[in-house]
Amino acid sequence: MSEYIIEMNGIRKVFPGVIANDNITLQLKKGEIHALLGENGAGKSTLMGVLFGIYQAEAGEILKDGVPVRIHDPKDANKKGIGMVHQHFKLVEVFSVLDNIMLGAEETKRGVLQKKKAREKALKLSEKYKLQVDLDAVIEDISVGMQQRVEILKMLYRDNDILIFDEPTAVLTPQEIEELMLTMRNFAREGKSILFITHKLNEIKAVADRCTVLRKGKCVGTVDVKDSTVDSLAEMMVGRKVIFKVDKKPADPKDAILRVSNLSLTTEASGKHQLHNVSFNVRRGEIVSIAGIEGNGQSELVYTLTGLMKPTHGTITFGEQDITKCSIRERNDLGIAHIPEDRHRYGLVLDYNLAENMILKSYHTPQFKKYGFLRFPAIQEHAEKLIRFFDIRAGEGPDTPARSMSGGNQQKAIIAREVSLSPDLLIAVQPTRGLDVGAIEYIQKQLIAARDEGRAVLLVSLELEEVMNISDRILVMYEGKIVAEVDAEHAVRQELGLYMAGATPSDFVREVM
Amino acid sequence: MKRRRTFNTALMTTILSAVGAIIIGLVIGYLFLLITNPERAWWGVIRILTIGLSNPTKIAKVLYQAMPLICTGLSVAFAFRTGLFNIGATGQYTIGAFFALFTGIQLQLPWYLAIIAAMIGGAVWGAIPGICKALFNVNEVITTIMFNWIAVFAVNMAFTNLPMLVVDYWGKSSIRDRSPVLADANANAVLPKLGLDELLSSNLVNIGIFVAIIVAVIIWVLLQKTAFGYEIKACGYNRDASRYAGINAKRNIIYSMMIAGALAGLGGSLYYLSGTGQYTFVKVLLPAGFNGIPVALLANSHPIGVIVSALFISYIQVGGDALQPRFVRENIDIIIGVIIYVSAFALLLKIWFGKLFMRRSLSAYSLRDDDTSPPEHDQPDDANEKDGEKR
Amino acid sequence: MIIGDILSATLIFAVPLMLVALGGMFSERSGVVNIALEGIMIMGALAACLFLRYVDDAGFDEKYRQLYVLAAIVIAGVVGILYSQLLAFASIKLKSNQVISGTALNMLAPALSVVVTWNIQGTAQTTILIPSWVRISPEALGITADNVLTTFLFKSLFLTTPIAFLILILSIFFLYRTKTGLRLRACGEHPQAADSVGVNVYKMRYLGVGISGFLAGIGGIAYTMAAGSGFLSTVAGYGFLALAVMIFGNWKPVNILFASFFFAFFRIISFYSKSLTFLPKFENLVSSEYIYLIMPYLVTMIILVLTSKRSRAPKAEGIPYDKGRR
């Protein structure tokens, strides 16, 4: 009997143009929590994809209990006891919780579903592990936290004993994260083995026994967590010393450029409040952050500010002008720039080349348009200027198809375009998501530079680190409301976490007292 | 220099995939000819491929039939560029035909006004599905299908209720199932021939083919050179991003369907204002509109390509007519059907041909320094996954 | 008696609409937009009509004639499956644009049908006559009463009618009560989720399209028998109408049942517009039947606009599924 329940030896996986995994070795002991650490793009997900049967490795072998196995697809992985909670949940939104749990592992009698049996089994598991779910609720109606519990139940329902968690904490409040870690420790105590993919160092320190670090597709090494520090792990991950604190001068805020008062948004279909009486200001020369768990109205807030959605109530004032009823174009032209959260969906037209993308918001201005015709020389020149100034790497210069550019450079291009509009207000939504440390630092510096030039910056981010590092004021959103405003300099992580979970400052004071 | 090369590569792959689709279509057409009549099958293929150029009269016929095809092809192609599938070209074409004949015969106005009337009629007919799509998000495929049938029935009803638009009114015939011979009803409404008829010894040709070609060039300029074209294409490629950029996507959808409708309407007017065909009141959809789909697909929705592919489709249709009576002319429709079928996965063919003939520059890939996933996952797959970021 | 006639005609035209719309539902619920229903109907009807023609020419045992009809129905379904796999192959395997592939098959089917008919029946013989014995006469069932109900149910009864209702019940059971039904629905909503728990998305989509082919093929012969005059390589746009029925029915079997009756009723009204005294006659118009022909389409349009907010298509329909590299 091998010491390891899973061994991945010399795994190599190549995608056209990139070596995603190069000779990677990972050994998972029975009953341990093993962290897999690496930056975005380091190859963590690919490696787990290989283990879960989503990809086939070109070289290397997988051993289970010391015996070589081949894992052809996720079904195969399930049969071998491997389960996975994907970063983006794999749940059918219009199905009930129970249907989702049993999908793919149905109890049947001659092809006919035996829902009663499935219900009993699911109930038993949910009680045993204190994973509270409503089996009859439809997925789209339940919270993200409960959706994650459904995902965990899915693994348990299949009697998996090797559990992969892919970035499970990104969507949770600090308190929910604690709970999840408790659950994970419970599993480990029961003899289940856990692989925990993350790029957050403190979580590793909190819960993991050992940690394997990947960098640029290669394995840097495996360490015992208790023998290592956050700094040493960070250095292994990035390959150099990392400075966690961003350099910035104190803010020098001027007059308020954006004033939002009593903004509400109700969806027609469900009558649910997406936004509820939101009021706040953003001043020139400061960075205001909106913190909160995903799905608490941040996206809707940004959409109503930029004009992509119409609010049900309330007013938005920009400078001296009421822009509540203005079109997207009018807002853009007034000086609101927007770095969208989903760069492929909103930020870029991937089938246009870089030059065409750079004029996406300004093609209609005299600079690029004359008598209805586009001025191609000016467009080309504009793109070349931005490429140089913002250091965008694009193989064919302005003619590079946006689709062929890397994520980091796509994001740089969007930022270049938005900043080049010289906006009075820059709205940035999760501008660093999915990027490596170098790109993150660059983008954060750009935001601070914009602030120092006297622009107002509204940052929406799910990463508490980022919010606390670069903003001047922090607003916390919960269920469509702004529940707290905190001065960034005095912000405490735990306190923010409570607000994110719906506590209000008055609660907080009472609790402390 | 670099710019030219990328341009040529794209053009080459498009042409090669179109040629590939055509070859596959012809091979399958040949198989059907073989089944019907093995001895004459090869004769049939040769006839399909040569008859169109065999004499001036046939050339005239090819041009004559290509004229409406260019227009309906442009109609489908233009909607495609906005991300819309206009199956309604045939209905808009029918409406165009009616408006042209109404203006020419009932109102006794000259041909150029008849053309304008037809384009307006087609535009209105295209605008309705456009409005349904833009304001109510009703799938344009379904609405345009519905509006095809409504067009046929409404036009038939209108014709039969306007005595001047029925052939018996003009006295030379007592039948009541079609529109009059245009030259009898209003010679001014017939498209001028500019001596083309003598050149090709056929009364089928007239300035209509030039009108169609000029319109194709205008559409090309509109799409490639103007700010409006930039908006339209942005909508087609990525509707969310175009909205984000402040482009009024709803308005552009309606405009685009209006232009598509006007183009198809133009096709209907050119065909019936040639004076050589009479509109018959039958309850079927006119194929000239449907054939705009293969024309647009073969051309990869490129306006100039539409001219070429319309000429080609017209060419093999003339060839198909010449198969009778040995073979039924529907053999040509089989070929066209197969061509569309193959064009539907032309992207795959394109990649295939791209690999076969072009050496792809590796630069596109070596740039992805922080993206370790396969390139196809890099496409915007929001619809599959709520989040396009995770790969 | 005209009410009974109208109801009876509504029934026989609702049957093909329902069958084909159910077919479309299975395909779309698995994630494939099937606009090729019209073409599949034509191919199914062609095969069944040729078979019936052959049986009629070859001579047959009177006693078993409904068995021959049953055989024809099965043949229509099987040919429908085969033809639908052209759509499945293009859209699942080759990841084509599903609407374009469907359009291609719609253009191909009538052409194929004419060429085949021509080859089998000889030059210029483009109509395949259907033998009159396919109808089940009320006398054969021992029904002599003559009232609205018997007219409704038995005046023009074909074997396809009871089969259609059987299929409806089976469809509901299959879709909501079986393992495969659950998996099929998952593939149309969130194929990645289905894949991640080991469901073979491609297989489910082939199945969904296959079922749609089977039902549309049967729908083709059901329509042709209802239309009565013989097969002319067309089903007169019923495949498209079925798409509207499916959307109006919100991709749900029971709603589709009602939607198909609603549509068929409007259709039939146009046939009877002249003899129904209570309908406006539009005396000033030469050919007022066109008004009633336009009606169902116009009503569909209005309904689609009015229900657009409520309508909920399977989320992943129309999007080719790519597992990623294997």
Side-chain angles (χ1 to χ4, degrees):
Chain A
M1 193 69 189
S2 164
E3 180 191 358
Y4 301 110
I5 187 157
I6 288 286
E7 280 178 89
M8 299 179 81
N9 293 328
I11 299 294
R12 180 184 168 83
K13 175 73 199 168
V14 182
F15 295 118
V18 274
I19 303 167
N21 284 169
D22 187 7
N23 192 22
I24 290 183
T25 297
L26 176 80
Q27 293 167 316
L28 177 66
K29 286 183 193 162
K30 192 168 160 58
E32 76 165 341
I33 300 179
H34 192 117
L36 185 58
L37 175 68
E39 284 198 70
N40 290 301
K44 295 169 295 187
S45 291
T46 306
L47 185 67
M48 288 303 103
V50 170
L51 179 57
F52 198 55
I54 295 168
Y55 307 120
Q56 298 300 311
E58 271 98 45
E61 55 169 8
I62 302 173
L63 291 100
K64 184 172 184 238
D65 295 323
V67 185
V69 288
R70 285 202 62 97
I71 300 169
H72 299 280
D73 53 39
K75 204 175 181 171
D76 235 16
N78 264 317
K79 271 191 221 142
K80 296 184 168 63
I82 304 170
M84 182 158 170
V85 175
H86 300 265
Q87 184 181 7
H88 295 269
F89 301 149
K90 306 280 184 185
L91 297 171
V92 182
E93 294 207 328
V94 294
F95 279 13
S96 71
V97 169
L98 182 63
D99 282 351
N100 268 292
I101 289 176
M102 65 181 190
L103 179 66
E106 302 88 345
E107 301 274 351
T108 58
K109 203 183 206 172
R110 287 193 218 98
V112 181
L113 294 171
Q114 302 294 308
K115 285 204 184 186
K116 222 171 154 186
K117 253 176 144 176
R119 177 184 300 274
E120 280 164 21
K121 186 171 174 188
L123 263 180
K124 226 188 261 168
L125 288 168
S126 110
E127 275 160 24
K128 181 173 173 195
Y129 293 100
K130 299 197 179 59
L131 293 163
Q132 210 204 350
V133 293
D134 174 2
L135 289 178
D136 296 309
V138 176
I139 295 295
E140 58 188 359
D141 298 334
I142 65 177
S143 71
V144 183
M146 193 185 281
Q147 289 182 11
Q148 188 173 65
R149 292 198 284 277
V150 176
E151 283 284 14
I152 297 172
L153 278 174
K154 267 167 76 176
M155 295 193 295
L156 300 174
Y157 187 84
R158 287 160 175 74
D159 303 320
N160 295 150
D161 51 13
I162 299 155
L163 311 179
I164 307 171
F165 289 83
D166 189 358
E167 306 259 2
T169 58
V171 295
L172 304 178
T173 63
Q175 286 74 17
E176 281 178 307
I177 292 172
E178 301 262 301
E179 258 172 64
L180 174 68
M181 292 190 168
L182 268 178
T183 312
M184 282 165 69
R185 277 196 215 103
N186 270 342
F187 288 154
R189 206 169 303 131
E190 274 210 355
K192 295 186 192 296
S193 315
I194 293 174
L195 271 164
F196 174 36
I197 308 175
T198 188
H199 61 266
K200 292 182 183 165
L201 304 162
N202 48 356
E203 289 171 4
I204 294 177
K205 279 301 283 180
V207 74
D209 302 311
R210 295 194 305 148
C211 175
T212 296
V213 185
L214 302 187
R215 191 198 315 144
K216 292 192 175 147
K218 291 199 169 72
C219 185
V220 183
T222 301
V223 292
D224 272 328
V225 172
K226 60 178 187 298
D227 301 337
S228 44
T229 62
V230 167
D231 287 335
S232 70
L233 286 173
E235 204 178 326
M236 280 179 85
M237 170 168 85
V238 183
R240 61 181 161 86
K241 285 247 186 281
V242 187
I243 307 132
F244 285 107
K245 201 72 189 166
V246 186
D247 263 345
K248 76 177 208 267
K249 291 180 293 193
D252 178 21
K254 308 256 170 24
D255 55 312
I257 180 88
L258 177 74
R259 283 191 292 266
V260 178
S261 70
N262 292 321
L263 202 65
S264 292
L265 177 75
T266 323
T267 33
E268 238 170 274
S270 63
K272 249 179 27 196
H273 286 295
Q274 309 274 7
L275 292 176
H276 200 75
N277 279 336
V278 172
S279 303
F280 66 95
N281 291 339
V282 184
R283 292 170 292 179
R284 291 181 200 272
E286 70 170 347
I287 298 179
V288 175
S289 285
I290 309 260
I293 306 302
E294 189 162 20
N296 274 289
Q298 302 97 315
S299 307
E300 288 77 8
L301 175 63
V302 170
Y303 292 154
T304 49
L305 293 181
T306 52
L308 284 159
M309 280 183 181
K310 296 262 168 281
T312 338
H313 293 291
T315 53
I316 305 165
T317 317
F318 188 71
E320 293 307 314
Q321 199 179 343
D322 180 353
I323 60 161
T324 318
K325 294 215 157 58
C326 286
S327 69
I328 301 167
R329 168 69 43 88
E330 283 163 339
R331 294 175 205 226
N332 290 345
D333 291 350
L334 276 171
I336 298 179
H338 174 196
I339 299 165
E341 62 178 318
D342 188 333
R343 58 177 168 263
H344 287 175
R345 184 167 170 205
Y346 286 110
L348 293 168
V349 177
L350 291 176
D351 292 295
Y352 270 162
N353 65 30
L354 184 56
E356 286 165 321
N357 270 296
M358 293 320 245
I359 57 161
L360 201 56
K361 281 187 172 172
S362 50
Y363 69 91
H364 61 289
T365 58
Q367 192 187 352
F368 302 118
K369 187 174 104 169
K370 200 174 182 184
Y371 310 123
F373 286 84
L374 291 175
R375 301 174 60 186
F376 289 99
I379 293 167
Q380 206 76 1
E381 200 183 304
H382 177 68
E384 277 163 12
K385 208 174 77 194
L386 293 184
I387 289 172
R388 246 181 294 123
F389 194 77
F390 287 88
D391 189 29
I392 302 165
R393 309 278 163 80
E396 294 161 61
D399 297 323
T400 316
R403 190 183 291 288
S404 74
M405 290 164 59
S406 73
N409 281 301
Q410 288 176 343
Q411 190 70 348
K412 275 186 182 175
I414 293 172
I415 288 171
R417 180 183 70 216
E418 298 304 306
V419 172
S420 72
L421 295 169
S422 302
D424 288 321
L425 170 67
L426 178 62
I427 301 175
V429 188
Q430 298 195 53
T432 59
R433 182 166 63 170
L435 304 182
D436 62 22
V437 166
I440 290 174
E441 282 171 352
Y442 172 90
I443 283 158
Q444 292 180 341
K445 269 183 201 145
Q446 288 293 333
L447 293 179
I448 293 167
R451 180 199 76 167
D452 292 344
E453 284 166 31
R455 310 184 197 292
V457 178
L458 181 66
L459 170 71
V460 175
S461 177
L462 303 177
E463 303 268 350
L464 262 184
E465 297 302 330
E466 178 168 275
V467 167
M468 295 172 67
N469 271 340
I470 68 170
S471 51
D472 302 310
R473 275 196 296 145
I474 301 169
L475 306 172
V476 185
M477 276 192 92
Y478 175 73
E479 292 195 339
K481 284 180 257 186
I482 290 187
V483 290
E485 179 179 335
V486 183
D487 186 351
E489 224 169 302
H490 306 109
V492 184
R493 198 185 157 80
Q494 278 307 311
E495 184 191 343
L496 287 176
L498 282 173
Y499 298 147
M500 285 159 73
T504 57
S506 53
D507 297 337
F508 188 67
V509 173
R510 229 173 289 136
E511 256 171 60
V512 170
M513 294 194 338
Chain B
M1 211 46 223
K2 205 172 242 174
R3 190 182 175 85
R4 170 143 314 152
R5 206 189 61 218
T6 32
F7 170 74
N8 281 342
T9 308
L11 187 69
M12 275 299 280
T13 46
T14 302
I15 291 173
L16 282 170
S17 62
V19 170
I22 290 167
I23 290 172
I24 294 171
L26 286 172
V27 167
I28 291 178
Y30 174 62
L31 291 179
F32 274 94
L33 296 185
L34 266 183
I35 295 166
T36 311
N37 186 343
E39 283 121 62
R40 305 295 288 194
W42 189 244
W43 169 88
V45 172
I46 296 302
R47 206 152 165 85
I48 291 170
L49 288 181
T50 56
I51 203 83
L53 279 172
S54 58
N55 61 54
T57 324
K58 293 293 183 200
I59 294 174
K61 199 172 173 201
V62 170
L63 294 175
Y64 172 65
Q65 292 188 354
M67 181 173 71
L69 281 180
I70 291 174
C71 297
T72 51
L74 283 173
S75 171
V76 176
F78 194 83
F80 257 135
R81 296 302 285 265
T82 325
L84 301 167
F85 194 18
N86 180 20
I87 298 193
T90 176
Q92 296 142 13
Y93 177 90
T94 307
I95 294 287
F98 170 75
F99 271 70
L101 293 175
F102 179 81
T103 313
I105 299 172
Q106 188 86 23
L107 305 180
Q108 290 289 313
L109 292 169
W111 59 271
Y112 44 88
L113 292 179
I115 287 179
I116 292 170
M119 290 179 76
I120 293 171
V124 170
W125 210 249
I128 302 170
I131 290 168
C132 290
K133 171 82 182 180
L135 302 186
F136 304 104
N137 201 24
V138 181
N139 190 324
E140 79 280 3
V141 173
I142 300 289
T143 32
T144 50
I145 286 170
M146 298 284 151
F147 267 77
N148 283 339
W149 291 100
I150 297 177
V152 171
F153 296 143
V155 160
N156 282 355
M157 189 164 70
F159 268 115
T160 49
N161 283 289
L162 293 164
M164 280 177 83
L165 291 183
V166 183
V167 61
D168 65 346
Y169 179 90
W170 302 92
K172 290 196 179 161
S173 161
S174 60
I175 47 174
R176 309 203 66 239
D177 70 339
R178 63 193 61 194
S179 67
V181 175
L182 192 58
D184 298 343
N186 177 9
N188 279 332
V190 182
L191 291 173
K193 296 202 177 0
L194 291 184
L196 285 169
D197 48 340
E198 279 156 33
L199 184 71
L200 295 174
S201 57
S202 161
N203 64 345
L204 292 176
V205 282
N206 52 54
I207 63 161
I209 184 73
F210 297 120
V211 173
I213 290 171
I214 290 167
V215 167
V217 174
I218 292 172
I219 292 294
W220 179 75
V221 171
L222 186 73
L223 278 173
Q224 291 310 119
K225 302 291 176 195
T226 70
F228 177 65
Y230 177 87
E231 287 187 358
I232 288 278
K233 285 183 293 176
C235 281
Y237 288 137
N238 185 344
R239 195 159 295 156
D240 290 320
S242 72
R243 239 165 72 69
Y244 155 85
I247 295 168
N248 190 334
K250 290 183 176 177
R251 194 186 60 196
N252 278 334
I253 286 171
I254 297 171
Y255 281 172
S256 173
M257 281 304 291
M258 282 177 75
I259 291 172
L263 289 167
L266 172 71
S269 70
L270 293 183
Y271 188 78
Y272 289 100
L273 293 176
S274 293
T276 31
Q278 289 159 277
Y279 185 90
T280 47
F281 314 144
V282 285
K283 295 169 190 171
V284 293
L285 301 177
L286 295 171
F290 272 125
N291 284 331
I293 297 169
V295 167
L297 282 176
L298 270 183
N300 199 23
S301 300
H302 191 290
I304 306 300
V306 162
I307 302 173
V308 181
S309 63
L311 284 169
F312 171 76
I313 296 287
S314 169
Y315 185 82
I316 62 168
Q317 280 182 333
V318 169
D321 289 337
L323 289 179
Q324 310 221 58
R326 282 204 178 83
F327 298 101
V328 58
R329 74 174 305 284
E330 267 80 0
N331 277 298
I332 294 302
D333 292 341
I334 291 181
I335 295 173
I336 295 173
V338 171
I339 290 174
I340 314 183
Y341 183 78
V342 177
S343 301
F345 45 85
L347 190 72
L348 203 82
L349 280 182
K350 237 182 258 177
I351 294 165
W352 193 58
F353 279 116
K355 275 189 190 146
L356 216 62
F357 291 90
M358 257 68 61
R359 225 182 260 158
R360 285 188 75 161
S361 70
L362 268 168
S363 64
Y365 290 126
S366 54
L367 269 166
R368 15 182 96 246
D369 45 299
D370 59 354
D371 245 336
T372 52
S373 48
E376 69 263 39
H377 282 212
D378 221 37
Q379 287 162 18
D381 50 359
D382 325 299
N384 293 341
E385 240 182 300
K386 256 178 136 181
D387 193 324
E389 293 298 323
K390 171 64 189 163
R391 274 151 276 281
Chain C
M1 234 39 254
I2 194 155
I3 299 295
D5 287 345
I6 289 176
L7 290 176
S8 143
T10 302
L11 176 65
I12 57 167
F13 279 102
V15 160
L17 278 181
M18 180 177 78
L19 283 169
V20 181
L22 283 175
M25 176 195 78
F26 277 111
S27 175
E28 301 219 343
R29 281 235 154 171
S30 77
V32 180
V33 169
N34 189 348
I35 207 170
L37 294 171
E38 176 96 356
I40 299 170
M41 284 177 79
I42 290 174
M43 296 311 286
L46 170 73
C49 290
L50 286 174
F51 172 76
L52 288 171
R53 200 62 248 152
Y54 171 79
V55 170
D56 196 53
D57 288 345
F60 61 97
D61 191 333
E62 288 279 339
K63 258 197 310 208
Y64 300 127
R65 56 191 186 189
Q66 285 308 319
L67 271 184
Y68 291 115
V69 176
L70 182 65
I73 291 170
V74 171
I75 287 171
V78 170
V79 169
I81 294 175
L82 293 178
Y83 195 63
S84 73
Q85 291 310 297
L86 285 174
L87 173 70
F89 177 70
S91 58
I92 301 168
K93 178 85 180 170
L94 300 177
K95 308 191 190 331
S96 69
N97 179 322
Q98 297 169 5
V99 175
I100 294 173
S101 295
T103 305
L105 294 183
N106 283 338
M107 294 185 78
L108 204 51
L112 276 174
S113 178
V114 169
V115 170
V116 168
T117 311
W118 176 293
N119 274 341
I120 289 177
Q121 298 206 136
T123 308
Q125 299 280 317
T126 48
T127 309
I128 309 176
L129 295 168
I130 304 175
S132 59
W133 48 261
V134 295
R135 191 171 81 92
I136 303 170
S137 65
E139 294 78 32
L141 294 169
I143 286 154
T144 48
D146 192 19
N147 54 39
V148 173
L149 187 70
T150 52
T151 313
F152 168 46
L153 291 176
F154 301 112
K155 181 171 183 228
S156 35
L157 179 66
F158 299 97
L159 191 58
T160 42
T161 308
I163 286 179
F165 283 91
L166 187 69
I167 284 175
L168 174 71
I169 293 163
L170 288 176
S171 295
I172 297 169
F173 182 78
F174 172 73
L175 200 59
Y176 295 111
R177 292 295 175 85
T178 68
K179 179 175 96 171
T180 318
L182 181 77
R183 294 182 167 196
L184 186 129
R185 284 185 286 139
C187 291
E189 289 289 340
H190 195 339
Q192 289 79 9
D195 194 12
S196 76
V197 291
V199 174
N200 186 333
V201 177
Y202 298 144
K203 211 169 96 186
M204 282 299 133
R205 290 193 166 180
Y206 273 108
L207 178 71
V209 176
I211 297 174
S212 82
F214 185 71
L215 297 187
I218 295 178
I221 186 62
Y223 167 79
T224 309
M225 291 198 295
S229 51
F231 180 66
L232 266 160
S233 294
T234 171
V235 291
Y238 261 65
F240 294 123
L241 212 52
L243 274 177
V245 168
M246 174 193 73
I247 295 173
F248 185 37
N250 220 355
W251 294 267
K252 292 191 177 106
V254 177
N255 297 17
I256 285 173
L257 166 72
F258 292 117
S260 58
F261 270 87
F262 180 85
F263 276 76
F265 182 71
F266 264 97
R267 195 84 195 171
I268 297 311
I269 287 282
S270 75
F271 293 145
Y272 284 88
S273 61
K274 287 236 164 62
S275 41
L276 287 172
T277 45
F278 57 85
L279 285 178
K281 286 285 153 333
F282 305 104
E283 302 289 349
N284 305 330
L285 287 180
V286 176
S287 38
S288 61
E289 83 267 18
Y290 283 118
I291 290 182
Y292 292 99
L293 280 171
I294 290 173
M295 279 293 208
Y297 295 104
L298 211 55
V299 170
T300 311
M301 277 303 309
I302 293 166
I303 288 169
L304 286 182
V305 167
L306 291 181
T307 59
S308 62
K309 289 242 165 73
R310 203 171 49 85
S311 141
R312 183 153 196 186
K315 207 174 274 168
E317 75 168 9
I319 306 158
Y321 182 62
D322 199 334
K323 272 179 156 173
R325 247 152 238 253
R326 282 283 164 115

